Amino acid sequence: IKRERKKWIIIYYARENNGVGEAVAEFRISVGELKREGIDNCSDEDVELGMRGELTSFFPARQPPLVYGALEPCCMITIHNGESSKLTQWMVKTSNTKTSLKLMGENPMDSERVETGLTDFSAESLVENAKKSHNAKSFGPAKQRGEERRWIYAKNWKNWPEKITISTVKDDSEEVSHLCGEYIRAKCRQTINQSAMWI
């Protein structure tokens, strides 16, 4: 049980070997403030109160093909505070779908690395480091697997698009179409990894 700003969080873990092994899933219950549009002086319309339950499986991070980073919940239920037509909401993750999307970037701007002061010397140093004898054995296979960017910067590392437009190559179901649209890079910095946030 954890106490955070204006809410309580209760986490239950499912474990292997009759509850004594490694965790394979979690059920997270949040009670209190679920969403806030601003930091201070928010009106009642900008604050979402209630209870939310989220079921998350850890298997995507344990079985190939491995998923790195934060895992999305498999399903989620939200019970809002007050009287509303959307008092209870269920959200269930859909089955895996293969599709083709077209991404178009516009209005080049400085990347996060340039904004923090990194120069060509940084990029060149990573290349030289990857070629050293104690790294070459690992860098070669990584490059063959298409994981070169785990070691060195991409060729266009200095520029990021201010706007990204996502569209489908062919007609797809509603499961994918909601991803399409224009995304503008957020002005906030240091909120997520490399400030890479387009909304």
Side-chain angles (χ1 to χ4, degrees):
I1 300 177
K2 299 192 301 181
R3 184 177 181 179
E4 295 189 0
R5 187 178 187 273
K6 296 188 178 182
K7 66 180 176 181
W8 289 84
I9 297 179
I10 308 170
I11 303 176
Y12 296 90
Y13 288 104
R15 299 182 180 274
E16 296 177 323
N17 300 328
N18 295 322
V20 296
E22 188 174 354
V24 295
E26 75 169 20
F27 184 63
R28 178 184 297 256
I29 301 175
S30 302
V31 180
E33 187 176 273
L34 304 178
K35 182 180 178 182
R36 170 178 285 266
E37 297 294 337
I39 298 178
D40 296 310
N41 301 325
C42 287
S43 62
D44 294 339
E45 292 79 11
D46 297 330
V47 178
E48 183 179 324
L49 301 175
M51 186 197 76
R52 176 172 293 152
E54 299 171 284
L55 177 64
T56 303
S57 172
F58 298 153
F59 278 107
R62 301 179 60 193
Q63 297 180 343
L66 298 178
V67 175
Y68 298 94
L71 298 174
E72 296 293 331
C74 302
C75 60
M76 179 170 59
I77 181 173
T78 303
I79 301 176
H80 296 279
N81 180 51
E83 299 179 1
S84 172
S85 59
K86 297 181 179 180
L87 191 60
T88 303
Q89 292 180 333
W90 273 100
M91 295 179 64
V92 180
K93 189 175 182 180
T94 59
S95 58
N96 294 336
T97 303
K98 289 186 177 180
T99 187
S100 297
L101 296 174
K102 180 180 179 181
L103 279 74
M104 180 72 68
E106 298 179 46
N107 305 332
M109 60 186 304
D110 289 341
S111 67
E112 169 72 5
R113 292 188 173 108
V114 173
E115 290 179 352
T116 55
L118 296 180
T119 63
D120 290 332
F121 177 77
S122 302
E124 294 168 359
S125 297
L126 290 176
V127 174
E128 293 300 322
N129 186 61
K131 293 179 179 178
K132 291 182 178 180
S133 58
H134 59 280
N135 288 329
K137 293 182 180 179
S138 299
F139 177 67
K143 188 175 182 179
Q144 293 178 351
R145 295 193 303 267
E147 299 177 356
E148 186 178 13
R149 290 186 59 182
R150 290 179 177 268
W151 292 77
I152 61 178
Y153 293 165
K155 294 181 180 179
N156 58 347
W157 67 273
K158 292 184 179 180
N159 295 320
W160 280 1
E162 181 183 10
K163 181 172 73 172
I164 298 177
T165 303
I166 300 179
S167 58
T168 55
V169 177
K170 57 182 180 180
D171 293 335
D172 283 297
S173 63
E174 294 182 357
E175 297 176 356
V176 185
S177 60
H178 69 279
L179 297 174
C180 299
E182 293 183 352
Y183 296 82
I184 306 297
R185 190 183 179 199
K187 295 182 179 180
C188 56
R189 297 292 184 264
Q190 310 304 327
T191 54
I192 62 171
N193 185 27
Q194 295 194 23
S195 303
M197 180 186 295
W198 283 260
I199 303 174

